[in-house]
Amino acid sequence: MFKVAVMVSGGGTNLQAIIDKVENGYIKDADICAVISSSRKAFALERAANHNIPGEAVVKKDYASTEEFNEALLETIDKYSPDLIVLAGYLVIVPQIVIKKYANKIINIHPSLIPSFCGDGFYGLKVHEAVLARGCKVTGATVHFVDEGTDTGPIIAQKAVYVEEGDTPEILQRRVMEQAEWNILPDAIRSLAEKHNNR
Ligand code: GRF
């Protein structure tokens, strides 16, 4: 069984897409072993609870130092011994101790066609604002392995999405989620699960 821990910070629509595709058998022989949130208020935790998936928050401001947070986060992840960690809108910097211990086992969904509009400061709506400000005709989403940089790891999958007349950042974000993110992220997990289960 391919154990997947999903790390979240917000609404959890990417998490929901993964849950739905595990439950309908599209992603085979995989189990979402945990949802770990950077915020207690993340609706993603409710989505996990609705599907009886263990969920908990590891909140940076609960700790006296970044080091203590980093250690607590690693300890929490280790508790579930995942084969894969999926960053699905996780907005906190992933500690280097986590990246080292789970090298090549962490993937991220980024809402642009990397290497465009990525790196420090490019997250959430900011990405789509920059795409519109530049006048791009095409954008999209990228799934990539996480390495010690920001959005710099090897690319796994990408899907292009047209920018349309009159798009606002919110409208464009929604289209990129619907047409790209919610497809390429579960697809990447499905193929990684297959590789793992057939190794
Ligand atoms: C998405 O736009 C995703 O591309 C980015 O953060 C947002 C997460 O949305 N990484 P959700 O929490 O999955 O709904």
Side-chain angles (χ1 to χ4, degrees):
M1 183 61 83
F2 190 55
K3 296 171 69 181
V4 180
V6 184
M7 299 181 70
V8 298
S9 293
T13 63
N14 278 285
L15 167 66
Q16 191 64 56
I18 300 165
I19 290 171
D20 294 347
K21 292 193 172 174
V22 167
E23 289 187 348
N24 71 13
Y26 180 78
I27 298 175
K28 293 181 179 34
D29 302 325
D31 169 57
I32 304 172
C33 56
V35 172
I36 298 168
S37 178
S38 61
S39 155
R40 272 181 277 278
K41 297 192 295 295
F43 185 65
L45 286 173
E46 271 191 59
R47 295 181 190 273
N50 293 342
H51 292 268
N52 303 314
I53 296 168
E56 57 182 294
V58 183
V59 183
K60 197 158 190 175
K61 64 177 187 314
D62 291 352
Y63 296 88
S65 71
T66 302
E67 289 66 35
E68 283 169 66
F69 164 75
N70 292 351
E71 274 146 33
L73 186 61
L74 178 56
E75 218 171 283
T76 303
I77 294 169
D78 286 347
K79 218 169 41 177
Y80 297 99
S81 50
D83 299 301
L84 180 71
I85 297 170
V86 178
L87 308 183
Y90 188 68
L91 293 177
V92 169
I93 305 285
V94 181
Q96 291 299 315
I97 52 173
V98 172
I99 292 170
K100 285 190 177 52
K101 179 154 190 184
Y102 290 90
N104 307 313
K105 292 181 176 179
I106 308 174
I107 66 174
N108 180 49
I109 176 81
H110 182 76
S112 76
L113 295 175
I114 288 176
S116 299
F117 307 107
C118 65
D120 294 342
F122 284 107
Y123 57 88
L125 272 183
K126 291 173 186 283
V127 172
H128 306 291
E129 285 162 3
V131 165
L132 292 172
R134 185 65 185 82
C136 298
K137 306 305 177 196
V138 174
T139 184
T142 302
V143 179
H144 63 93
F145 283 108
V146 173
D147 64 8
E148 55 289 334
T150 304
D151 302 330
T152 51
I155 290 172
I156 299 169
Q158 294 189 301
K159 191 165 191 302
V161 173
Y162 280 109
V163 179
E164 293 179 11
E165 240 357 85
D167 270 350
T168 63
E170 291 76 8
I171 292 170
L172 183 55
Q173 178 178 54
R174 183 78 194 182
R175 188 177 315 116
V176 170
M177 284 174 156
E178 282 173 350
Q179 294 185 7
E181 296 178 33
W182 299 344
N183 298 306
I184 63 174
L185 185 56
D187 284 354
I189 295 166
R190 173 186 160 116
S191 65
L192 290 167
E194 278 168 9
K195 280 196 195 108
H196 179 268
N197 293 328
N198 300 332
R199 75 195 185 290

